Each structure stands twice: as structure tokens, then as C-alpha cells.
Amino acid sequence: MNRRLVLPVAVLLPVLVLAVLAFNVRVPYVALGPGPTFDTLGEVDGTPVIEIEGVESDPTTGELVMTTVGVTDNLTLAQTVLAWFSGRYGLAPREQVYPPTRSKDEVKAADHAQFAQSERSAELAALHYLDMPVTLRVAQVADDAPATDLLREGDRILAVGGEVVSTAGQVQRVVGDTAPGSDLEITVERDGVEEVVPVTVGGRPSDPDKGFLGIGTEELPDVPFSVTFNLADVGGPSAGLMFSLALVDKLSEGELNGGKHVAGTGTIDSDGAVGPIGGITHKLTAAAEDGAEFFLVPADNCAEALSDTPDGIRLIEVETLEGAIDALAAITSGGDAPTCG
């Protein structure tokens, strides 16, 4: 005799209610996981990720892969539970990614602005490393500042306090290390003529013990070629290091990666300093699934990276663009590269 199990309504109804809630109720969390990867030496949809016009690029092989973190929003309760138990995704309060004071479009616009800045910094860092010309100039002078009426917008900055400078960071460091009230000589080129302009340094508004001129500076490539980055719908500042490495590889002889599959992440400034990023473990997973043999890790991210390193991938610790290039040279030659841990 065949028998069918019939659940009483008193049992079935709560189950149905819970199921409906699980698949329809939205929760204030986002899921973070491995995002897309992009070979900065390669192409996307037939277009080079980094395009150089006006000079012939040096041939490259292997891969220099930038990694990203994927964000899944508008989660249901069921999706949240599945993400939690998958081990592949992490959960974060939605307000950490999308603050309630800003719209989703505003967050996206800010992310894209950071990405654009990382492109500019990556290009400048690469040019500085290759000793290619970059113009450092005064972009703006604040009202009622120590440099008001002394320095002018468009002045090309050559030296500060007798120290030759080529980056905005160098200017900031020299000025910041000068005691407020001291005179500081700024060597500029103005209308084609070199001048030495003495300025009495003030105290920085946020730190009165640090020197302050009240100027904004900018760096502009002064090379006979143009660089275009062709990635869309990617945000944040963490592609800087890999963009810089790809540019150096394309603009110099030889192959930085020795034909190997290298991935990595990290912010970069025009001085070539590499900074930490978020979501390192998710980026490691993405790189491992992409087949990377090595992963370039910002020094400040090493501890977190070591907490969950995929099998078969070697963590290379980096602090500067120059250090990353030296590490790749060591890998290529079979030497010792700095590792996390």
C-alpha cells in the first residue's frame, strides 16, 4: 500500500511563510567576493587595456593582472545565508559600501574618480621611474597664504630649499619639514626665466608644526606620446601598481615578468609609493582562479593576505614601484624576492 505524508496546515503554513520571507525580504548587507581580472598587458574586447600612441611599444609576454572585488547588493535573506555558508563571499553592512548620506550613483562616481586618479598616478610613476620628462608646476595659490603674490599659477617648480624636486610629494615633504616662520627658497621657471622666490613658511592648518605654502601642485607628462587606459565600469584606486608595471614594461626593453603569470594590487602615487587596499583575500582568490603564479601584495596587506592564501600562489611583498620591478627581476632570474611572512 502506498502512503503519502500529509503535513498538517499548522506545520506547513509557517514553513511557507518562512520561505516567502527568505526569498523576498531584503537585508542591509552586501556580499563581497572575487571580481573580474584584467591583464594590463592584454586586451578587452579587442582593445588594449593600455594604449600608447606616438611611440612604438616594446613587445611583452606573460601577464600582469589587476584584480578586483565584486560587490553584490540588494540581497535577500536566502542569498545572505547562502553567501555566508559558501566560504567564497564575505558579508559587510551595506552602509560601509553605500553610506546612507550618499546615493548609489554618487558612490559610483566617486569610485570612478578614484580610478581615473589611479590612472594618472600610474602614468606619472612609470615616467618618473624611466626618467622621462614630467613638468611640475603650481596649479593654484590660495588667498591669504604664505605664497600669495609670490608664486603664480603656471610657475614650473624646479627646486625647493635648494633640493631639486620632480614630484608633488617631494614638494610636500620638503615644505612640511620646514619650520613655520622660516624662509624657504623656491626655484621656479616663469615665462622662460629661472627665478629664486623666497617665501616665509606658515603653519599647516591641520598641523601647525608642519610647514605650509598654500599652493596646489600638479604634474604633467612632457613626452611625445599619449597613454590611454581603456577599462570601463571599474572603480577605486587599487589598479595603480599594475598599471604602472604594464607601462614600464611597454616603454622599456625586456619583459618585467619573464613571461610569467603575475597578478597583484595596490594604490600608487607619482613618487612610486605603493599603498594598501581592501578585499585582498577576495583578490587573491580571483588571481588563483585566473591561474596566477605570483601575487604582488602591498606590504601593509601582507598579514591579511597570509590569513587566507590560495594554494599554488606565491605572495610577493612590495612597497614601491621600484621594489616591485626588482622583485619581478628576482623571480625571473630565479633569485630571492621579498615575500609576505
Side-chain angles (χ1 to χ4, degrees), residues 146-339:
T148 303
D149 298 327
L150 298 173
L151 296 177
R152 303 175 187 171
E153 292 183 14
D155 283 348
R156 182 176 181 181
I157 303 173
L158 304 177
V160 178
E163 180 179 332
V164 176
V165 293
S166 59
T167 71
Q170 290 172 330
V171 174
Q172 187 176 31
R173 283 192 291 275
V174 175
V175 173
D177 290 340
T178 302
S182 303
D183 288 335
L184 186 65
E185 292 186 339
I186 314 297
T187 305
V188 302
E189 182 183 296
R190 180 182 295 167
D191 299 327
V193 178
E194 185 173 313
E195 297 184 29
V196 177
V197 181
V199 180
T200 301
V201 175
R204 190 178 297 176
S206 60
D207 187 348
D209 293 330
K210 292 284 187 180
F212 173 73
L213 293 182
I215 64 172
T217 58
E218 64 179 348
E219 298 173 55
L220 301 172
D222 188 16
V223 291
F225 58 83
S226 62
V227 176
T228 304
F229 299 87
N230 293 311
L231 279 184
D233 297 324
V234 180
S238 63
L241 171 62
M242 302 312 292
F243 279 156
S244 276
L245 288 172
L247 270 174
V248 171
D249 206 358
K250 287 172 173 280
L251 292 171
S252 59
E253 294 183 359
E255 299 170 338
L256 293 187
N257 57 13
K260 298 182 183 298
H261 190 155
V262 178
T265 188
T267 66
I268 203 163
D269 62 21
S270 63
D271 286 313
V274 176
I277 50 78
I280 187 72
T281 56
H282 302 308
K283 293 182 177 184
L284 281 168
T285 299
E289 292 176 350
D290 196 54
E293 306 166 73
F294 304 91
F295 194 98
L296 304 178
V297 183
D300 289 343
N301 287 125
C302 269
E304 185 182 0
L306 285 168
S307 71
D308 191 11
T309 307
D311 293 336
I313 197 165
R314 183 178 169 192
L315 305 182
I316 307 299
E317 180 181 7
V318 297
E319 296 184 78
T320 64
L321 174 61
E322 183 177 4
I325 292 172
D326 290 344
L328 291 175
I331 291 170
T332 299
S333 64
D336 293 328
T339 58

Side-chain angles (χ1 to χ4, degrees), residues 3-171:
R3 296 182 178 177
R4 292 193 304 168
L5 179 63
V6 179
L7 294 176
V9 173
V11 174
L12 186 58
L13 186 58
V15 171
L16 291 174
V17 170
L18 287 174
V20 170
L21 290 175
F23 285 97
N24 289 277
V25 173
R26 305 294 168 176
V27 296
Y29 289 91
V30 294
L32 306 176
T37 59
F38 304 93
D39 178 16
T40 56
L41 297 175
E43 298 180 345
V44 172
D45 297 329
T47 301
V49 172
I50 299 177
E51 196 166 9
I52 304 174
E53 295 183 354
V55 68
E56 186 175 353
S57 298
D58 191 66
T60 61
T61 62
E63 297 179 59
L64 289 172
V65 175
M66 60 164 282
T67 51
T68 66
V69 175
V71 180
T72 304
D73 189 21
N74 202 29
L75 295 173
T76 65
L77 179 60
Q79 290 172 323
T80 305
V81 173
L82 288 174
W84 176 262
F85 283 104
S86 71
R88 180 180 175 80
Y89 298 93
L91 295 174
R94 189 180 188 277
E95 63 184 16
Q96 289 185 8
V97 179
Y98 303 109
T101 56
R102 302 167 69 188
S103 69
K104 202 167 183 177
D105 286 342
E106 288 175 329
V107 171
K108 187 175 182 179
D111 284 345
H112 285 175
Q114 286 185 323
F115 191 72
Q117 180 58 55
S118 76
E119 294 172 336
R120 290 189 291 270
S121 296
E123 179 179 359
L124 292 167
L127 295 179
H128 284 306
Y129 176 83
L130 294 169
D131 290 325
M132 293 184 175
V134 173
T135 295
L136 173 64
R137 69 181 189 181
V138 177
Q140 59 184 6
V141 182
D143 295 331
D144 300 322
T148 303
D149 298 327
L150 298 173
L151 296 177
R152 303 175 187 171
E153 292 183 14
D155 283 348
R156 182 176 181 181
I157 303 173
L158 304 177
V160 178
E163 180 179 332
V164 176
V165 293
S166 59
T167 71
Q170 290 172 330
V171 174

